[in-house]
């Protein structure tokens, strides 16, 4: 979001590449790298070399959010006298006030950063340091011969602490990489240069973290992570379109682009629903169907009458998938059991407000945050949001607003929760809540659109996924309905800004498949 604000303000910049590498940079700076924003050149830091330097707006946004400089400075992108130039610059120590804090390397000329990384990795090796070097390279950048000279050299020196990450978005300045200079079979090329090769979806943070962990365990070889990405990911009409390699969006579209970036919906199938059957199979089917997370309903027979699954079952499911585990604990005294769910490696752990007091919730959130787990709080349909909980909004990532009374899958959605969800969403945002609202219970293709309009962005679906014969189709259908809801909301927003037809023009190829459901068939075909 910061990147798009900066680019629109500057009137130029590279939105496409900033978005294709957003998750890679976030995973490095917020999960994996050892670094200290208050001491950018700390001796024992890990290094990030942004070799494909034109992803600068995304890089600056990451540095700002990590605390290297104030986020407002993004608005000075590409302005005269600003530190934030089109390509990041690191000046010599005599002029260091001009450097962007945290920048290791001046980029712009493509193909050089990997060689610089080798120099750093070799120096660290001589000094006996544990520091790792992560280098982001582009697929257009891989046309440069120097990349392949560096590939040979890094293997020769057995630089196991060097990891290159290829942002494989398949688009470079003037077109598609495979038309301009084919890179495939890219895996075989790097393997032939004697690198350890890992290929992943570069937009799945969990897969990026897993790949980096694996790279860090390899001995005697550098690793390349081939991150398959989508240029312009996050803004539908910019994706996979070479036109958006280096073009700024019009300023009047910024509010809509920010809305879209904030509207990502995550679909979380609840595996207790449907026929009682093998949970492993249900998790696998959800993953194959394109689910974003796995929702795990834990019921203890006390907080709710039913008993479902517990931490031991979750622990056994953990090795099957990298998809985030969204554990919903419908249990009494959650503090007494929380460690079991931490040990089972859940990614989000949600406890019920009805089962906690302020003291236990405070201990639970602290414990979860210490382990890098997102804390969540769930609230029953008839429970009021307690006043004391406002004090914890900055520590909570997820708020589940139950749309059925907890206890069973397959219940009917309670429409009375919609105004509550809408109001809560508004109130909580006003009080600084930056996490997700999650709707849980009775979500199907109709109610999904209602909870979307009320602000929910994590959508739990039990029966709508597992009580059907086509699980893959059911997930696709739910995602389609979430997309319709997004397009409708964006169109309404554009209308309120008086730029509806302009927006429809920019987004025509995206809107056409939805035009019937949005009731804009005639309007869209009238646009030239
Ligand atoms: C209810 C659970 C829900 C439920 C979802 O207590 O928290 O997650 O199982 O299933 P459906 O979508 O069938 O309501
Ligand atoms: Zn649930």
């Amino acid at each position: 979001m910061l990147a798009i604000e900066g680019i629109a303000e500057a009137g130029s910049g590279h939105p496409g590449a900033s978005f294709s590498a957003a998750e890679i940079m976030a995973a490095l700076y917020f999960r994996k790298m050892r670094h200290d924003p208050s001491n950018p050149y700390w001796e024992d830091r890990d290094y990030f070399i942004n070799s494909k330097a034109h992803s600068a707006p995304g890089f600056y946004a990451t540095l700002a959010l990590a605390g290297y400089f104030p986020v407002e400075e993004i608005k000075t992108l590409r302005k005269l006298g600003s530190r934030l130039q089109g390509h990041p610059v690191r000046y010599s120590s005599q002029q260091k006030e001009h450097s962007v804090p945290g920048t290791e390397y001046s980029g712009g000329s493509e193909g050089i950063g990997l060689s610089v990384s080798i120099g750093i990795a070799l120096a660290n090796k001589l000094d006996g340091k544990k520091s790792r070097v992560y280098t982001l390279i582009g697929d257009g950048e891989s046309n440069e011969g120097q990349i392949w000279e560096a590939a040979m050299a890094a293997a020769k020196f057995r630089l196991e602490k060097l990891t290159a990450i290829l942002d494989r978005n398949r688009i470079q300045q003037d077109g598609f990489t495979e038309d301009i200079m084919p890179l495939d079979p890219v895996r075989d090329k790097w393997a032939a240069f004697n690198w350890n090769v890992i290929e992943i979806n570069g937009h799945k943070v969990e897969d990026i973290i897993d790949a980096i962990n694996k790279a860090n365990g390899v001995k005697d070889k550098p690793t390349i992570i081939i991150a398959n990405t989508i240029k312009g990911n996050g803004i539908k009409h910019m994706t996979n379109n070479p036109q958006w390699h280096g073009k700024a969006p019009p300023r009047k579209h910024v509010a809509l682009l920010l809305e879209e970036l904030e509207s990502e919906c995550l679909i979380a199938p609840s595996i207790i629903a449907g026929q009682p059957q093998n949970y492993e199979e249900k998790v696998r089917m959800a993953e194959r169907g394109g689910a974003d997370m796995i929702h795990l309903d834990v019921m203890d027979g006390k907080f709710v009458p039913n008993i479902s699954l517990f931490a031991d079952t979750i622990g056994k499911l953990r090795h099957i998938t990298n998809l985030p585990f969204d554990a919903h604990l419908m249990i009494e005294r959650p503090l007494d059991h929380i460690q079991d769910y931490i040990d089972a490696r859940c990614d989000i752990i949600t406890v019920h407000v009805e089962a906690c007091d302020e003291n236990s919730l405070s201990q639970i959130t602290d414990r979860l945050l210490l382990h890098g787990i997102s804390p969540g709080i769930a609230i029953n349909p008839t429970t009021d949001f307690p006043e004391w909980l406002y004090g914890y909004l900055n520590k909570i990532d997820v708020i589940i607003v139950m749309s059925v009374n907890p206890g069973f899958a397959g219940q009917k959605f309670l429409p009375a929760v919609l105004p509550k969800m809408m109001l809560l969403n508004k109130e909580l945002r006003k009080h600084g809540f930056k996490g997700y609202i999650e709707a849980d219970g009775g979500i199907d293709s109709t109610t999904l659109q209602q909870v979307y309009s009320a602000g929910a962005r994590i959508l739990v679906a039990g029966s709508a996924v597992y009580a059907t014969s086509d699980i893959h189709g059911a997930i696709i259908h739910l995602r389609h309905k979430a997309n319709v809801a997004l397009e409708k909301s964006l169109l309404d927003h554009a209308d309120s800004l008086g730029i509806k037809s302009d927006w429809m023009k920019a987004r025509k190829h995206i809107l056409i498949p939805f035009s019937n459901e949005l009731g804009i068939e005639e309007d869209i075909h009238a646009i030239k």
Side-chain angles (χ1 to χ4, degrees):
M1 290 173 66
L2 286 173
I4 208 78
E5 285 183 77
I7 293 168
E9 189 71 30
S12 65
H14 293 87
S18 295
F19 290 157
S20 65
E23 289 86 354
I24 296 169
M25 292 197 253
L28 283 170
Y29 275 89
F30 298 105
R31 283 299 167 116
K32 292 312 303 177
M33 273 172 39
R34 291 186 319 152
H35 66 118
D36 178 3
S38 66
N39 182 13
Y41 301 112
W42 169 43
E43 276 213 356
D44 291 325
R45 70 190 180 278
D46 290 336
Y47 293 72
F48 177 67
I49 304 296
N50 186 17
S51 186
K52 50 165 291 178
H54 54 272
S55 49
F59 178 46
Y60 295 149
T62 310
L63 287 176
L65 291 170
Y68 282 90
F69 56 86
V71 286
E72 305 78 57
E73 200 173 326
I74 289 284
K75 295 238 162 92
T76 70
L77 179 70
R78 290 181 168 234
K79 297 256 160 76
L80 274 180
S82 164
R83 298 191 287 190
L84 309 183
Q85 288 308 304
H87 295 99
V89 183
R90 177 170 179 187
Y91 288 88
S92 66
S93 51
Q94 287 84 0
Q95 292 178 292
K96 65 173 187 285
E97 68 280 9
H98 299 299
S99 294
V100 182
T103 300
E104 306 282 2
Y105 160 79
S106 299
S109 294
E110 303 285 272
I112 300 169
L114 192 55
S115 304
V116 173
S117 307
I118 291 174
I120 297 170
L122 279 172
N124 286 340
K125 201 170 172 179
L126 277 177
D127 292 344
K129 282 190 190 164
K130 290 202 180 100
S131 303
R132 311 200 71 95
V133 183
Y134 299 98
T135 308
L136 183 67
I137 60 175
D139 46 8
E141 182 184 24
S142 304
N143 295 359
E144 301 280 353
Q146 191 173 341
I147 289 284
W148 302 101
E149 293 175 44
M152 278 192 282
K156 169 189 161 158
F157 294 121
R158 300 173 186 268
L159 294 177
E160 63 193 27
K161 291 197 169 55
L162 171 66
T163 300
I165 303 171
L166 175 67
D167 182 1
R168 182 74 169 123
N169 60 38
R170 295 177 175 268
I171 290 176
Q172 62 194 95
Q173 188 153 11
D174 309 307
F176 294 94
T177 54
E178 298 315 281
D179 295 336
I180 295 168
M181 181 58 78
L183 198 53
D184 275 335
V186 66
R187 285 183 72 111
D188 298 354
K189 284 187 175 130
W190 284 93
F193 278 75
N194 209 16
W195 283 55
N196 173 47
V197 183
I198 303 175
E199 187 166 3
I200 55 163
N201 173 344
H203 295 303
K204 292 238 169 213
V205 174
E206 58 273 19
D207 289 358
I208 302 168
I209 292 172
D210 187 45
I212 295 171
N213 289 342
K214 285 185 181 137
N216 292 355
V218 167
K219 296 267 166 271
D220 277 341
K221 270 184 179 194
T223 292
I224 178 144
I225 299 172
I226 299 174
N228 290 297
T229 58
I230 297 173
K231 203 141 185 169
N233 187 51
I235 303 283
K236 292 203 176 66
H237 64 276
M238 289 187 182
T239 56
N240 281 329
N241 184 344
Q243 224 195 57
W244 286 103
H245 171 92
K247 190 171 93 170
R251 271 185 216 192
K252 60 184 172 187
H253 286 182
V254 169
L256 298 165
L257 304 180
L258 296 183
E259 181 185 333
E260 183 174 4
L261 287 174
E262 275 197 317
S263 297
E264 190 197 7
C265 264
L266 302 173
I267 295 180
S270 160
I271 59 169
I272 62 157
Q275 292 296 318
Q277 56 166 296
N278 193 330
Y279 287 139
E280 285 199 13
E281 188 53 20
K282 283 186 172 172
V283 169
R284 289 207 173 89
M285 289 193 293
E287 180 158 35
R288 280 201 296 271
D292 299 298
M293 320 206 271
I294 302 293
H295 187 77
L296 298 152
D297 286 306
V298 176
M299 304 183 187
D300 65 352
K302 294 181 209 139
F303 181 76
V304 286
N306 249 346
I307 291 184
S308 57
L309 45 82
F310 292 106
D312 54 338
T313 310
I314 299 178
K316 285 185 199 132
L317 295 172
R318 189 59 284 189
H319 71 277
I320 311 177
T321 177
N322 284 333
L323 282 183
F325 275 3
D326 175 31
H328 174 194
L329 308 191
M330 286 163 275
I331 59 174
E332 278 183 357
R333 309 180 65 83
L335 178 59
D336 296 350
H337 307 280
I338 206 78
Q339 193 60 41
D340 298 343
Y341 295 89
I342 295 172
D343 294 342
R345 295 198 290 127
C346 297
D347 298 276
I348 304 171
I349 299 182
T350 298
V351 297
H352 266 264
V353 66
E354 298 84 2
C356 290
D357 57 15
E358 179 166 357
N359 177 35
S360 63
L361 184 78
S362 150
Q363 292 188 53
I364 289 172
T365 49
D366 286 348
R367 192 104 68 93
L368 295 180
L369 290 171
L370 192 70
H371 287 88
I373 296 171
S374 289
I377 190 92
I379 174 160
N380 283 344
T382 52
T383 305
D384 289 325
F385 197 84
E387 203 58 40
W388 59 264
L389 206 45
Y390 281 98
Y392 290 84
L393 288 180
N394 60 348
K395 292 186 170 179
I396 293 174
D397 290 327
V398 171
I399 294 176
I400 297 186
V401 181
M402 293 301 302
S403 36
V404 297
N405 287 310
F408 306 93
Q411 300 182 67
K412 216 166 148 347
F413 178 80
L414 298 172
V417 301
L418 286 170
K420 173 183 173 178
M421 198 181 273
M422 197 173 288
L423 204 73
L424 253 184
N425 185 30
K426 268 205 195 124
E427 266 308 290
L428 298 175
R429 305 281 165 208
K430 257 196 246 155
H431 285 81
F433 177 60
K434 294 209 165 65
Y436 285 93
I437 302 272
E438 175 166 346
D440 186 6
I443 303 299
D444 59 21
S445 57
T446 314
T447 54
L448 177 144
Q449 295 191 322
Q450 296 168 343
V451 295
Y452 179 95
S453 307
R457 294 292 178 269
I458 299 180
L459 309 164
V460 176
S463 310
V465 170
Y466 290 114
T468 59
S469 53
D470 176 10
I471 286 163
H472 190 163
I475 296 173
I476 291 179
H477 187 58
L478 290 172
R479 197 175 297 288
H480 172 78
K481 289 294 176 187
N483 282 330
V484 174
L486 165 70
E487 296 305 333
K488 184 171 171 343
S489 168
L490 290 172
L491 273 178
D492 291 347
H493 191 170
D495 200 15
S496 73
L497 297 172
I499 55 170
K500 188 171 173 186
S501 55
D502 191 69
W503 178 250
M504 277 168 55
K505 193 169 176 190
R507 202 133 163 123
K508 185 174 173 182
H509 62 293
I510 301 298
L511 286 169
I512 287 173
F514 299 106
S515 57
N516 184 312
E517 278 160 287
L518 292 168
I520 54 164
E521 264 174 319
E522 277 183 29
D523 303 350
I524 202 96
H525 291 297
I527 291 174
K528 291 281 167 291

